[in-house]
Amino acid sequence: MPPFLVRFASRANFHPADASNEFRQQWTHPGDVFSVLLILGGDVVARALAQSTGWRFGLPSFSFGWVAYAVRSLVVVVGENKLMPEPDYSCLVVNGKSGHARDNKSWIIGRMVRDYDRWMDNAIRLKVRQILEEKRKENEWEELPLQAGLCVSIYKTNTEEGVGKPTDWLLVYQSIAIAILQLGVAAIPCSIVGDWGILIITAAGILLSSVTASLSHWRKEKWGGCRRLRKGEEKNVILTRGNGSQHAIVILGSHGFLDLEDLAIGQKDATTSTLTRLSIGTLAALWILLLISASGIKNNTWFLLAVGGIGSIFNVWVAGRWKHPKSVGLPLTYHTVIAKTKVMKTLYAVEEKEHRLGKAMLPIFFPGGLHKDEEITWSHLAGDYENARRAAICMDEGRWEEAEKLEEQLYRVLKKQLGTDSDFTLKSMENMILIYRNQGRQKAADELEDEVRKIREEKQADDFRYTGHLGG
């Protein structure tokens, strides 16, 4: 045998079984893994807290990532004077009267818009399906498009059902059940071999997470000191993703409801109290002590990982879970939906239904300005179109030929822009009927009158279908 092979075979430090033993030991008692996982995943904990706080007691579970979150929250509280993370879904909040739009800074409103597809009324889904089908037929496509025109849903506020108060009791019960499950898992090694360390770590983690989520500053910051609408005060607000979005949500605010435009501003008093800072600092120190203590556990560590895994799965679910506005303290009642295959026609119809709301959305969906016919239509909707006034004067004075020319010009514009089922177009058609009768053109008047009657009957049936008669 060559000398090299002799030396290689006779090495005293050659132990190929050591690696297998180390792997076996690590997978039997993965002691350091839990400590590492405690400092990873702080973003999940932050979002779970933002989604579930607002009660007088904490809801998120003890899980991986709490130490990372505790240290990060201390830095944020001291440096930025806040606990709540930024909204994770951007949207615009538009004043329904002035048209002023602002970027949303409220976590609550951001999640309302994000989850709208989940909590919208069934009538809205049917209406969207209808305009998608109409667009498919217009373009002779084989499949339905993903989006068509604009759908504006109108909700009224319900001030009799706990405004500003969370009512998600299911989440409360689930949080309690998860805590009991975690304690039950942690108690297994204590009951079998007398190892009470995992049970102590689990109980301490549940207590610290509950105390962190129960800080009063969460409620103060989440609601941002939002004011309520005064007696006799009404405020309409539009929530939308902006130009290009399929939906716009109109909320008709009334006395006692929250001022959503005020809520969208976010936290107004950006100063956290000294007590809050001391509390966060103390909790961060306690979380670090818990991390040090957990790193000392060497046996039965799979039970500790199971406890953290259960909490992490629950917190991931809480962070991404959708909520109905009522469950967060914003009870709304579906009123009606307006949708057309063209965005401008939708805004026309909204303006007819709720004065100023359609015009308030114009700068959002048409930032580049309007065509001449569109300007004429909006002037008529606002009641300041000169030709409409001149036509009315001519009719009052019996100048029927001049009135006919002016009214026909107005009718053509309204029919093109608003459609024949618009109240403004129908009113113009009724004016034409009156003009025809005074000119002795009875046949033309009768034909137009039959057309108006048919349109109104179809419009009444459609309004009945989509105005609060289908449950969500």
Side-chain angles (χ1 to χ4, degrees):
M1 182 181 291
F4 170 76
L5 293 178
V6 173
R7 290 195 301 271
F8 182 80
S10 62
R11 287 186 304 169
N13 60 350
F14 185 70
H15 301 293
D18 287 353
S20 298
N21 293 332
E22 289 172 358
F23 279 126
R24 186 181 302 109
Q25 177 65 25
Q26 178 64 19
W27 281 102
T28 304
H29 302 290
D32 296 332
V33 176
F34 182 79
S35 300
V36 173
L37 292 175
L38 277 176
I39 59 176
L40 299 176
D43 288 342
V44 173
V45 175
R47 294 192 178 198
L49 284 166
Q51 187 72 340
S52 61
T53 51
W55 302 78
R56 295 189 179 277
F57 45 88
L59 296 177
S61 294
F62 171 48
S63 67
F64 305 134
W66 265 104
V67 174
Y69 171 75
V71 175
R72 173 186 170 277
S73 64
L74 177 61
V75 175
V76 171
V77 164
V78 173
E80 301 179 22
N81 295 306
K82 65 178 185 178
L83 282 174
M84 286 289 295
E86 292 293 325
D88 58 356
Y89 197 81
S90 61
C91 66
L92 296 175
V93 179
V94 186
N95 185 299
K97 182 177 181 180
S98 67
H100 174 71
R102 67 174 75 249
D103 292 325
N104 173 56
K105 299 295 183 182
S106 167
W107 178 275
I108 297 171
I109 292 178
R111 283 299 180 98
M112 278 180 62
V113 177
R114 189 204 72 166
D115 300 332
Y116 185 58
D117 286 340
R118 306 294 298 274
W119 61 267
M120 69 170 63
D121 194 273
N122 284 335
I124 300 169
R125 293 187 177 91
L126 291 174
K127 193 68 174 178
V128 172
R129 177 81 181 186
Q130 177 187 331
I131 62 173
L132 290 176
E133 185 64 32
E134 289 175 3
K135 186 173 182 179
R136 184 189 69 80
K137 291 180 179 179
E138 288 174 5
N139 294 276
E140 298 181 350
W141 294 335
E142 293 184 359
E143 298 181 357
L144 285 178
L146 298 177
Q147 186 171 326
L150 176 65
C151 180
V152 178
S153 310
I154 301 178
Y155 288 83
K156 292 184 177 180
T157 55
N158 188 350
T159 56
E160 298 178 357
E161 298 187 24
V163 177
K165 298 178 181 179
T167 58
D168 193 359
W169 288 103
L170 178 61
L171 180 60
V172 176
Y173 301 142
Q174 290 169 336
S175 300
I176 295 173
I178 290 295
I180 293 173
L181 177 61
Q182 288 177 309
L183 290 171
V185 172
I188 294 175
C190 181
S191 61
I192 295 176
V193 296
D195 185 356
W196 48 266
I198 296 174
L199 182 60
I200 292 298
I201 293 295
T202 302
I206 292 173
L207 178 62
L208 288 177
S209 60
S210 297
V211 171
T212 303
S214 300
L215 295 174
S216 61
H217 192 79
W218 281 109
R219 295 190 298 277
K220 175 184 176 183
E221 191 174 337
K222 191 170 186 177
W223 293 102
C226 180
R227 77 177 188 91
R228 291 176 181 262
L229 298 178
R230 297 183 297 271
K231 186 175 182 180
E233 182 181 8
E234 296 181 349
K235 190 169 190 179
N236 302 333
V237 173
I238 305 157
L239 311 178
T240 180
R241 284 278 290 167
N243 191 14
S245 61
Q246 176 69 81
H247 292 279
I249 309 167
V250 175
I251 299 175
L252 308 179
S254 58
H255 164 60
F257 201 74
L258 298 178
D259 183 346
L260 295 185
E261 190 178 21
D262 191 47
L263 180 62
I265 298 173
Q267 186 183 10
K268 302 169 188 62
D269 183 5
T271 303
T272 52
S273 66
T274 303
L275 178 61
T276 299
R277 295 188 181 193
L278 289 174
S279 299
I280 291 295
T282 302
L283 287 167
L286 291 174
W287 277 112
I288 293 173
L289 291 176
L290 183 70
L291 172 65
I292 296 172
S293 301
S295 64
I297 296 178
K298 303 300 182 184
N299 298 316
N300 301 306
T301 47
W302 275 113
F303 292 98
L304 199 54
L305 287 174
V307 168
I310 292 170
S312 293
I313 292 172
F314 183 70
N315 281 345
V316 168
W317 178 76
V318 171
R321 177 174 177 258
W322 76 274
K323 288 187 175 185
H324 193 281
K326 179 181 177 181
S327 67
V328 298
L330 297 175
L332 303 174
T333 302
Y334 168 70
H335 177 52
T336 190
V337 58
I338 300 169
K340 307 287 184 181
T341 56
K342 301 294 183 182
V343 176
M344 183 62 79
K345 289 189 175 182
T346 303
L347 297 185
Y348 289 150
V350 172
E351 186 68 16
E352 289 185 59
K353 188 76 174 179
E354 297 287 344
H355 184 52
R356 292 186 175 179
L357 277 179
K359 191 172 184 179
M361 289 185 271
L362 268 179
I364 305 297
F365 293 98
F366 293 92
L370 304 175
H371 297 299
K372 183 177 180 180
D373 283 354
E374 293 170 343
E375 291 178 351
I376 292 174
T377 304
W378 281 107
S379 295
H380 186 74
L381 291 173
D384 57 1
Y385 183 49
E386 180 62 28
N387 278 15
R389 289 197 294 268
R390 288 173 56 194
I393 292 173
C394 290
M395 290 171 65
D396 289 341
E397 295 178 354
R399 293 181 286 157
W400 301 110
E401 291 186 4
E402 187 177 351
E404 180 184 0
K405 292 179 181 179
L406 293 170
E407 197 64 49
E408 281 185 346
Q409 179 186 14
L410 177 61
Y411 169 67
R412 285 194 298 270
V413 172
L414 293 177
K415 182 179 180 181
K416 177 183 176 182
Q417 295 296 322
L418 300 180
T420 55
D421 62 345
S422 164
D423 288 338
F424 287 92
T425 308
L426 291 171
K427 177 62 177 176
S428 180
M429 294 171 73
E430 289 170 348
N431 288 340
M432 292 297 300
I433 294 171
L434 179 62
I435 292 171
Y436 290 160
R437 294 201 185 283
N438 281 277
Q439 290 177 325
R441 299 161 60 184
Q442 300 299 329
K443 183 178 180 181
D446 291 341
E447 290 175 352
L448 192 56
E449 190 171 35
D450 290 340
E451 183 180 353
V452 169
R453 182 166 52 251
K454 182 179 179 180
I455 293 172
R456 287 200 180 277
E457 289 174 354
E458 293 175 352
K459 187 174 187 298
Q460 184 178 9
D462 190 65
D463 287 345
F464 181 83
R465 185 182 181 190
Y466 293 105
T467 307
H469 294 281
L470 290 175

